[in-house]
Amino acid sequence: MQQPEKGSYQERPYQGKMEPDDGQWIRPAKDYASTRFSSLDQINGNNVQQLKLAFTFSTGLERGHEAAPLVVNNTMYIVTPFPNKLFALDLTKPGGPMKWVYEPKPTPASQGVACCDVVNRGASYFDGKIFYNTLDDQTVAVDANSGREVWRVRLGDINKGETLTMAPLVAKGKVIVGNSGGEMGVRGWLTAVDAKTGKIAWRAYATGPDKEVLIGPKFKPYYASERGQDLGVKSWPPDAWRIGGGGAWGWISYDPELNLLYYGTANPGPWNADARPGDNKWTAGVFARDADTGEAVWFYQFSPHDLYDYDGVNENILLDLPIGGGTKKVLVHPDRNGYVYVIDRTNGKVESANVFAPITTSKGVNLQTGQLEYVKDKETKLGVVVRNLCPTAPGAKDWQPSAFSPRTGLLYIPHNNLCMDEEDMQVNYIAGTPYVGANVRMYNAPGGYGGLFTAWDPVAGKAVWNIPDRFPVWSGALVTGGDLVFYGTLDGWFRAVDARTGRELWRFKTGSGIIGQPISYKGPDGKQYIAILSGVGGWAGAIVSGGLDGRDSSAALGFAGAMKDLPKYTTPGGMLYVFSLP
């Protein structure tokens, strides 16, 4: 573990509002602000060493398990990777036996157009129903008590390469869903579906004319680079926006007071940036949208003309932080490009952007213009191998979500420590087939390890402590009122560390690598429980779950090169693990 200089961290307990905590877990990130903080404190630093296995449950599947379980009314709900089964477990009975299973039976062909494993990132609960997505572009509503299907609606087309892997969020009676498929040349969108009927309320595209992006009179971005008519067309070559990517497969946050949804847009397509001169609006950035109408209020582009598949889909944690002598409503966003952004969530102004991982591809972020300043010598080129690009294509961190503690004022970031070599190639678009145009080889960044787990002070803009790991830390994070942080590793260790110091206090070896999201809940017996889905896979673990040959360093869009040793440490298999004190 790497520690900062002594005395460099001053604890700053959070003064902002937090949602009331009833001990359940009804949304992917616990709350609308996406803090992934549970106030439960029965398990703490004094007794976590006594944490024991309470029960397990096998999903019977071998692909990547990325979802966070839900806990509602003494029932746990688990969404699996393809074929996207929904299990309901009865927490009032010993061992959490299965109450029912809902099987949506998605189209098998959808597996063939999924970019990076056939994963699913979870579900949301609202008004007696569980809402989640299937890989073949359907959103379903299931009665939480009976497992009966209430409605289902198809939102995309697998023949175009579209899939749905993200966890929806319910806000203002609408189920908010975004598509995946940037590596297939899809056109990204975010869609709101009526939670009662399943009818589409609005759809906002990430590319194209203002009318289709839902840009109108309300749209007032902070930076001049985001202003102008139909930039979603003009910042692309003719018609390239129609297959330009910009999916919304990451996380959605919601501010009820401002009535704004916040979400990131994914990479432009193809990876070969020479094929798409221009800023490629509105990809690789963050939108604020009116929750009722979907109208855009502001946008900020993290990586204009994204050269390295950096996207902008990572989590946006909504906090009220002391900045500039006052308290500001901000969103904190650890981006794949290697910077932790603190952005005024009322208008899109970048308050700070600080480095949290090795970077060679850019020199910094100009806070006056908002522009990421690329390093000219590191720009990718057609037919030329450009070496030592840091961070790599999955970024300094990918989808794996951070957690924020109001008790310590720290953000806990699971992330990667990887670099890459890239050679761009000619590529042609054929619907439903890969549209990438790049050869990539990934490897560990300086230090010789693939991942880090970092405690970050978002006000000071620096790391407080970090823990290196052999492989990228591809699980989500959970922080609790007991001042414990939980996370998992790709070789199958589930860990609890001290939220202030990073000292490991407990660990448990699961049967497969962990890429899931831990949760904490209060059981019907009044006890605090910790739960995690184990089951290696996803982009990082595809070498194991997909049975890839590690000698082919280009497999899994280049990730196999950095993960060639992973099969020595873990095997596939989905299993729920639930822990409690004796």
Side-chain angles (χ1 to χ4, degrees):
M1 181 171 66
Q2 299 174 358
Q3 294 285 1
E5 294 179 12
K6 189 174 182 180
S8 62
Y9 167 58
Q10 179 181 359
E11 186 169 309
R12 192 184 296 105
Y14 183 60
Q15 302 300 315
K17 296 179 182 177
M18 297 288 288
E19 288 181 33
D21 188 354
D22 61 3
Q24 302 190 106
W25 197 285
I26 68 171
R27 300 187 190 97
K30 175 65 173 177
D31 51 29
Y32 278 135
S34 296
T35 65
R36 290 179 165 82
F37 170 77
S38 167
S39 67
L40 300 178
D41 59 4
Q42 185 184 98
I43 303 168
N44 55 54
N46 295 323
N47 59 26
V48 68
Q49 298 88 349
Q50 303 171 43
L51 211 56
K52 302 293 184 186
L53 197 59
F55 67 91
T56 61
F57 178 80
S58 172
T59 66
L61 298 168
E62 293 193 340
R63 301 310 289 262
H65 287 61
E66 288 188 349
L70 299 183
V71 174
V72 189
N73 297 329
N74 296 325
T75 303
M76 179 180 287
Y77 301 92
I78 299 168
V79 179
T80 74
F82 186 93
N84 303 133
K85 297 179 182 181
L86 174 65
F87 291 104
L89 308 182
D90 189 345
L91 300 179
T92 67
K93 296 178 180 177
M98 188 167 67
K99 293 171 69 172
W100 50 258
V101 57
Y102 167 72
E103 301 186 52
K105 295 182 171 57
T107 307
S110 60
Q111 299 172 90
V113 295
C115 154
C116 312
D117 203 358
V118 293
V119 298
N120 187 289
R121 297 185 185 90
S124 285
Y125 170 84
F126 173 73
D127 193 27
K129 296 182 280 291
I130 304 294
F131 302 92
Y132 75 105
N133 300 312
T134 63
L135 190 66
D136 66 343
D137 301 312
Q138 298 185 80
T139 299
V140 297
V142 179
D143 183 274
N145 289 326
S146 66
R148 176 182 60 86
E149 182 183 296
V150 179
W151 54 255
R152 71 161 75 189
V153 58
R154 188 175 298 279
L155 297 179
D157 183 356
I158 63 169
N159 294 314
K160 294 180 180 178
E162 289 182 288
T163 51
L164 295 183
T165 59
M166 58 87 73
L169 185 74
V170 184
K172 299 295 287 289
K174 296 179 177 65
V175 187
I176 313 299
V177 180
N179 66 342
S180 311
E183 280 65 50
M184 297 286 176
V186 307
R187 184 184 179 199
W189 47 254
L190 190 79
T191 299
V193 177
D194 187 281
K196 288 186 177 180
T197 65
K199 293 182 179 178
I200 294 177
W202 51 259
R203 173 169 290 192
Y205 286 94
T207 64
D210 288 351
K211 183 179 179 180
E212 296 179 14
V213 185
L214 301 189
I215 286 177
K218 283 188 176 182
F219 188 60
K220 297 177 181 179
Y222 186 83
Y223 295 102
S225 57
E226 321 294 1
R227 302 180 202 140
Q229 188 174 8
D230 292 327
L231 294 184
V233 174
K234 294 175 181 176
S235 63
W236 294 85
D239 287 334
W241 57 269
R242 298 181 185 277
I243 51 174
W249 55 267
W251 304 106
I252 303 169
S253 301
Y254 174 59
D255 185 330
E257 292 183 2
L258 299 176
N259 195 35
L260 293 180
L261 298 166
Y262 302 92
Y263 72 100
T265 56
N267 60 289
W271 286 16
N272 174 3
D274 285 346
R276 44 174 174 81
D279 276 359
N280 309 136
K281 305 293 187 193
W282 304 92
T283 65
V286 57
F287 267 114
R289 292 189 179 275
D290 183 288
D292 294 314
T293 65
E295 292 174 272
V297 174
W298 60 259
F299 176 87
Y300 171 72
Q301 194 167 32
F302 299 111
S303 300
H305 186 60
D306 184 1
L307 294 166
Y308 311 104
D309 185 46
Y310 282 162
D311 294 41
V313 297
N314 291 354
E315 66 280 8
N316 299 294
I317 302 99
L318 309 186
L319 304 172
D320 297 347
L321 295 182
I323 292 174
T327 299
K328 287 197 173 183
K329 295 179 179 294
V330 300
L331 65 80
V332 182
H333 175 96
D335 194 69
R336 285 168 61 157
N337 67 17
Y339 299 89
V340 176
Y341 289 80
V342 177
I343 299 176
D344 186 323
R345 68 177 184 269
T346 68
N347 61 16
K349 178 189 177 186
V350 178
E351 299 291 344
S352 64
N354 292 293
V355 175
F356 74 102
I359 299 179
T360 64
T361 55
S362 64
K363 296 178 288 187
V365 177
N366 184 321
L367 299 185
Q368 298 302 312
T369 64
Q371 291 292 297
L372 179 68
E373 299 179 337
Y374 290 114
V375 174
K376 190 73 176 175
D377 291 346
K378 295 298 184 182
E379 293 183 3
T380 56
K381 300 176 180 67
L382 188 66
V384 176
V385 177
V386 185
R387 302 189 187 279
N388 192 34
L389 301 173
C390 312
T392 187
K397 72 176 293 297
D398 196 11
W399 72 278
Q400 61 269 45
S402 310
F404 174 81
S405 170
R407 293 174 54 82
T408 65
L410 296 178
L411 184 69
Y412 301 93
I413 308 174
H415 61 107
N416 315 320
N417 189 55
L418 299 173
C419 300
M420 68 177 176
D421 300 339
E422 179 173 337
E423 177 189 17
D424 286 353
M425 308 177 300
Q426 293 284 0
V427 61
N428 295 311
Y429 173 75
I430 302 173
T433 64
Y435 184 56
V436 177
N439 277 327
V440 170
R441 184 177 69 87
M442 303 181 196
Y443 43 86
N444 290 346
Y449 44 85
L452 285 163
F453 190 84
T454 296
W456 182 267
D457 183 335
V459 176
K462 61 183 180 182
V464 174
W465 50 257
N466 57 50
I467 306 169
D469 199 83
R470 176 185 287 112
F471 300 111
V473 183
W474 209 256
S475 87
L478 163 72
V479 63
T480 71
D483 295 329
L484 298 172
V485 188
F486 292 87
Y487 71 99
T489 65
L490 277 170
D491 53 358
W493 285 103
F494 188 44
R495 293 190 168 117
V497 302
D498 185 291
R500 289 180 173 81
T501 67
R503 184 168 65 93
E504 183 179 293
L505 301 175
W506 172 87
R507 65 177 177 170
F508 181 92
K509 184 67 167 67
T510 64
S512 183
I514 299 172
I515 62 170
Q517 304 163 57
I519 69 163
S520 177
Y521 68 92
K522 183 190 292 184
D525 55 3
K527 293 175 64 174
Q528 180 184 0
Y529 291 82
I530 306 291
I532 183 69
L533 273 172
S534 168
V536 76
W539 193 4
I543 190 171
V544 177
S545 63
L548 305 180
D549 190 335
R551 293 171 296 182
D552 180 4
S553 61
S554 68
L557 294 174
F559 219 144
M563 308 303 294
K564 59 182 179 296
D565 290 338
L566 185 60
K568 301 175 183 176
Y569 292 90
T570 191
T571 55
M575 181 77 76
L576 170 76
Y577 294 83
V578 179
F579 303 90
S580 68
L581 296 173

